[in-house]
Amino acid sequence: MAFASNLTALGDAMPWVAEQLKAQSGGKVDLRVFEPGKMIPALGVFDAVSEGKVEAGYTWMGYEIGKVPASALFGAVPFGMEPWEYAAWFYFGGGKELLAEVYKPHNIHPIFCGTISPEAAGWFRFEITSLDQIKGLKFRAAGLGGKIWQKLGASVTLLPGGELFQALEKGVLDGTEFSLPTVDEQLGFYKIAKFYYLPGWHQPSTSQYLYVNKKAWDSINKETQALIETTCTAAVTMAIAKAEALQGPMLSKFEKEGVKLVRWSDEILAAFKKATEEVMAEESAKDALFKKVYDSQKAFQAAHQPWRKYGFLPR
Amino acid sequence: MAFASNLTALGDAMPWVAEQLKAQSGGKVDLRVFEPGKMIPALGVFDAVSEGKVEAGYTWMGYEIGKVPASALFGAVPFGMEPWEYAAWFYFGGGKELLAEVYKPHNIHPIFCGTISPEAAGWFRFEITSLDQIKGLKFRAAGLGGKIWQKLGASVTLLPGGELFQALEKGVLDGTEFSLPTVDEQLGFYKIAKFYYLPGWHQPSTSQYLYVNKKAWDSINKETQALIETTCTAAVTMAIAKAEALQGPMLSKFEKEGVKLVRWSDEILAAFKKATEEVMAEESAKDALFKKVYDSQKAFQAAHQPWRKYGFLPR
C-alpha cells in the first residue's frame, strides 16, 4: 500500500477489502496487505505492478503523474467533483472506459476502490485576508494544487507528512495542506497553527485504486475477478461513508482547541479558480490524453450543474 | 420487488445485485428477481418475508409504517440526510445496529442495498409564491411528507403513480410529487405541469433494502451471507452514482420543454421545516423506537453540520 492502514478512510479501505474477500471465499481469495515500505516503497506501486514485481498494489492515483499525466485526473482534481459525483462520472459518465485506455499501455488493470471527502485547504499561522498575502507565502502543497498556489505567487515546497509539524512550528512554513480533518488531526497541526481554511478547492475528492498486473489479472478466473471488482465497489461506499461520518465532530474538536475555522472569501476562491483554469489549460496542451479525460470531466460537471443548483437543501 | 426494474437507480439496483452474485459464485448463488405483483403484491414484501412465504424481497423501507413506525426513518426522512450522509450514519453512526433492533421482532434480516439522490418537491400547474396558496391546495404526497403538507393546510391525497398524469391534467390535482427527475420524466408530468419545485425537502435520500427471512438467512453459510452483504454494499455505490449521474441533464431537458425550475423561497422552506419538527415530535411521542432512531439521526446531523458548512465548495 502507498499509505498506512491507520489513516482513516484513506488507508483502511484496502484491509477491509482483503477481509471481505476472505470471508466471501472461505479464505480462498487471500489478498495480503503490506504497510508502505514493507514490501515496496510507498511511491513505487505503479512501477512494481507495471513491471510485474508484485501482482497488485493499492495507491492514490496520480503519484505517477510524471509518467502518466492523465493519472492525476483520476486521483484528485482542483475544482473537480465531490466523491459521489466522481463515482457518478466514473461508472456512468465514461470514466471507467477512459481509465482502461490510460493504463493499458502500462500493463495495469486498475480497479476503483475507494474515494473520500474533500481535503481541507490548509493550516496557517496567521489569517489570510487578501490575495497579496499569498505572494511569497511559504506553503506546502502537492501536485496540481501546488502548481496553482505557485501561479498565485506562493513559494511552494513539497515536504513529506512527517516533517510538516516541525517546519510549521519553526516558521520554515507559513502554512501547509495535507488531507482530511481526521488525518490532519493525526499529525497534530492544530496545536501550532490556529487558522484552518476550508473548503479544499484543490481536492474535492481523493480516489484510490487497486492496481493489478495485467498478466496476473488475466490468469485468475472470472468468478474471482468479479468478486474483487464488486468488493472494491463496496469499498467505495465504505470509504465515502466513513470519511463523511467523522469530519464534523473533528472540526468541532479543533474549535474547542482554539482553532479558527475560516471559509475562503469569494474573491480568493475566484482567484484560485482562475489560476486552476490556466494550469489545467497548460497541462491539457502538453498531453492529449490528459486533455481527453479533463474535457470529459468538465462536460460531466457542466451537465450536472443544474442538479447541484436545484436538487439539494442548503448546506 | 416493490418497484419495477425499469425505474432508474430505484428499481435496477436489485437486478444488478442478482447478476453480480451469479457472476461471483459461478451461478451457485442465484437470487431470482420478480417484477411487482408477479409473485407477491408490490406492497406485500414485508408481510411475505416476515411470514416466510418468500425467502427474500426488495423494497423501499417504510411501506410498513403502520406496523413498524420506525421503518419510515430508514426509508426517507423530511429534512433528513443526503444519500452519502445516510450511508455514513448507517455504517458508522449506529444506524445498522438500530435497524437490526427494529426488525428483529418481525423475523426479518434487512440488508441496506441502495440509496438515491433527493426527490424533487413536486410538479404544479401554477406558481406557488406564498404560504397562503398552500391552504386548500389539492396535492398528492406520500408518508411523512404528506402529513407535513397537511399541517400547512394542503388537501392531500395519495393516488398511485399510474393515475397521477390524468388527475393533474383534469385539475383533480393542483400538483403532485413523485420521485427523482428521471423517474418523474417517465410519468410525463412535464407535459402538463410547467412549474417544477425543488429541492425535495421531504425526501433528501430514499433508501432500499433486501429483506431476508430470518430463518432462511440463518440457514445459508457464512460465505454466502458475506457475499450477499458485500454485494448489497456495492449496490449502494452504484445507486448513488447512477442517480447522481442522470439528474442534471434531465433538468435541462425539462427546461427545453418549457418547464420553469423553481427553488422554494426561504420563507416557504422555513415553514416546511417548522411543520416537519411538529410532525416528527408527534410521531416520536407515539412510538418509543421511532423516537430512539430519530434522536440518533438528529444527533448525527448536528455533529455533521460544521462539515456541511465548511467542507465543500459552493454548489
Side-chain angles (χ1 to χ4, degrees):
Chain A
M1 295 210 301
F3 17 73
S5 62
N6 68 343
L7 295 180
T8 303
L10 181 69
D12 55 11
M14 194 63 220
W16 183 86
V17 166
E19 207 178 287
Q20 299 310 309
L21 288 173
K22 241 190 201 168
Q24 294 173 94
S25 67
K28 268 181 272 175
V29 181
D30 185 11
L31 224 66
R32 273 167 302 161
V33 174
F34 295 87
E35 296 293 327
K38 291 287 173 195
M39 178 177 248
I40 51 169
L43 303 186
V45 171
F46 173 81
D47 284 344
V49 175
S50 179
E51 293 161 13
K53 286 187 188 152
V54 294
E55 291 168 307
Y58 188 66
T59 187
W60 175 63
M61 192 167 284
Y63 283 138
E64 58 270 21
I65 186 172
K67 290 167 192 163
V68 190
S71 70
L73 300 169
F74 294 93
V77 180
F79 291 93
M81 295 172 275
E82 292 172 6
W84 29 92
E85 296 168 349
Y86 182 82
W89 172 75
F90 185 81
Y91 292 114
F92 298 101
K96 193 172 179 177
E97 293 74 18
L98 284 167
L99 181 66
E101 184 181 340
V102 170
Y103 278 78
K104 207 177 167 194
H106 305 286
N107 302 315
I108 289 175
H109 176 76
I111 304 172
F112 183 32
C113 205
T115 182
I116 56 177
S117 303
E119 292 201 344
W123 300 88
F124 295 85
R125 290 156 51 93
F126 43 82
E127 212 158 352
I128 309 285
T129 52
S130 87
L131 275 171
D132 289 342
Q133 285 173 278
I134 294 179
K135 295 200 176 77
L137 191 83
K138 292 173 286 177
F139 190 66
R140 181 268 181 198
L144 292 164
K147 292 188 188 196
I148 294 158
W149 276 98
Q150 274 178 318
K151 199 141 285 262
L152 291 174
S155 166
V156 174
T157 53
L158 177 54
L159 293 172
E163 295 174 26
L164 292 175
F165 184 90
Q166 214 183 19
L168 205 54
E169 192 175 29
K170 293 202 171 155
V172 174
L173 288 176
D174 298 320
T176 183
E177 59 85 23
F178 193 67
S179 183
L180 296 173
T182 42
V183 177
D184 285 356
E185 192 266 352
Q186 292 176 290
L187 297 188
F189 303 135
Y190 67 94
K191 293 173 190 158
I192 43 167
K194 294 297 183 182
F195 297 91
Y196 198 28
Y197 277 75
L198 304 113
W201 53 269
H202 65 300
Q203 209 151 322
S205 59
T206 300
S207 298
Q208 285 70 246
Y209 292 79
L210 178 64
Y211 285 6
V212 186
N213 175 272
K214 189 67 177 61
K215 213 170 142 185
W217 182 252
D218 291 340
S219 77
I220 57 182
N221 66 40
K222 289 220 174 316
E223 287 78 12
T224 306
Q225 286 182 349
L227 189 69
I228 295 171
E229 297 259 10
T230 306
T231 305
C232 272
T233 304
V236 172
T237 299
M238 297 309 271
I240 285 177
K242 192 163 188 182
E244 272 302 284
L246 303 175
Q247 307 314 320
M250 189 52 72
L251 291 187
S252 299
K253 177 192 159 156
F254 289 151
E255 280 190 307
K256 272 182 213 121
E257 299 281 351
V259 170
K260 190 174 173 196
L261 308 177
V262 198
R263 270 195 76 93
W264 292 113
S265 69
D266 291 347
E267 185 208 359
I268 292 183
L269 268 187
F272 282 132
K273 191 156 193 195
K274 189 166 164 284
T276 296
E277 283 160 11
E278 289 168 23
V279 166
M280 299 308 264
E282 288 162 19
E283 299 299 317
S284 294
K286 276 191 256 172
D287 188 88
L289 213 40
F290 185 100
K291 183 177 181 339
K292 187 175 178 182
V293 176
Y294 190 58
D295 287 351
S296 165
Q297 293 186 344
K298 295 303 281 184
F300 184 85
Q301 282 182 277
H304 184 58
Q305 185 51 36
W307 181 244
R308 271 175 76 95
K309 182 177 167 195
Y310 287 103
F312 299 90
L313 283 164
R315 270 176 177 147
Chain B
M1 297 211 300
F3 16 74
S5 62
N6 70 342
L7 294 179
T8 304
L10 181 69
D12 55 11
M14 195 63 221
W16 183 86
V17 166
E19 208 179 288
Q20 299 308 310
L21 288 173
K22 243 190 199 168
Q24 293 173 93
S25 68
K28 268 181 271 177
V29 181
D30 185 12
L31 226 66
R32 273 167 301 161
V33 175
F34 296 87
E35 297 293 326
K38 290 288 173 193
M39 178 179 248
I40 51 170
L43 304 184
V45 171
F46 173 83
D47 285 344
V49 175
S50 178
E51 294 161 13
K53 286 187 190 153
V54 294
E55 291 169 305
Y58 188 67
T59 187
W60 175 64
M61 193 168 281
Y63 283 138
E64 57 270 21
I65 187 173
K67 291 166 190 163
V68 189
S71 70
L73 300 168
F74 294 92
V77 181
F79 291 93
M81 296 173 274
E82 291 170 7
W84 29 92
E85 296 168 349
Y86 182 82
W89 172 76
F90 185 81
Y91 292 115
F92 298 100
K96 193 173 179 176
E97 294 74 19
L98 284 168
L99 181 66
E101 185 181 341
V102 171
Y103 278 78
K104 206 178 168 193
H106 305 287
N107 302 315
I108 289 174
H109 176 76
I111 305 172
F112 183 32
C113 206
T115 182
I116 56 176
S117 303
E119 291 201 344
W123 299 88
F124 295 86
R125 291 158 47 96
F126 43 82
E127 211 157 354
I128 309 285
T129 52
S130 88
L131 275 170
D132 289 343
Q133 287 174 276
I134 295 179
K135 295 198 178 78
L137 191 83
K138 291 172 286 175
F139 190 66
R140 181 268 181 198
L144 292 164
K147 291 188 188 195
I148 294 157
W149 276 98
Q150 274 178 319
K151 208 149 278 257
L152 290 174
S155 166
V156 174
T157 53
L158 176 54
L159 293 174
E163 294 175 26
L164 292 175
F165 184 91
Q166 211 182 22
L168 205 53
E169 193 176 29
K170 292 201 173 159
V172 175
L173 289 174
D174 297 320
T176 183
E177 59 86 23
F178 193 66
S179 183
L180 296 173
T182 41
V183 176
D184 285 356
E185 192 267 351
Q186 293 176 289
L187 296 189
F189 303 135
Y190 67 93
K191 292 174 192 158
I192 42 167
K194 294 297 182 182
F195 297 91
Y196 197 29
Y197 278 74
L198 303 113
W201 53 268
H202 66 298
Q203 210 151 321
S205 59
T206 301
S207 298
Q208 285 69 246
Y209 292 79
L210 177 63
Y211 285 5
V212 186
N213 176 272
K214 189 69 178 58
K215 214 170 143 186
W217 182 252
D218 291 340
S219 77
I220 57 182
N221 66 40
K222 289 219 174 316
E223 288 78 12
T224 306
Q225 286 182 351
L227 189 69
I228 294 171
E229 296 258 11
T230 306
T231 305
C232 271
T233 304
V236 172
T237 299
M238 297 308 271
I240 285 178
K242 191 163 190 182
E244 273 302 284
L246 303 176
Q247 307 314 319
M250 190 51 74
L251 291 187
S252 299
K253 177 192 160 156
F254 289 152
E255 280 189 307
K256 272 183 214 121
E257 299 280 350
V259 170
K260 191 176 172 193
L261 307 177
V262 198
R263 271 195 76 91
W264 292 112
S265 69
D266 291 347
E267 186 208 359
I268 292 183
L269 268 187
F272 282 132
K273 191 158 191 192
K274 188 166 166 285
T276 296
E277 282 160 12
E278 290 168 24
V279 166
M280 298 307 265
E282 288 162 19
E283 299 299 315
S284 293
K286 278 190 255 174
D287 187 87
L289 212 41
F290 186 100
K291 183 178 183 335
K292 187 175 178 182
V293 176
Y294 189 59
D295 286 352
S296 166
Q297 294 186 343
K298 294 303 282 184
F300 184 86
Q301 282 183 277
H304 184 58
Q305 186 50 37
W307 181 244
R308 273 175 73 93
K309 182 177 165 192
Y310 286 103
F312 299 89
L313 283 164
R315 270 175 177 149

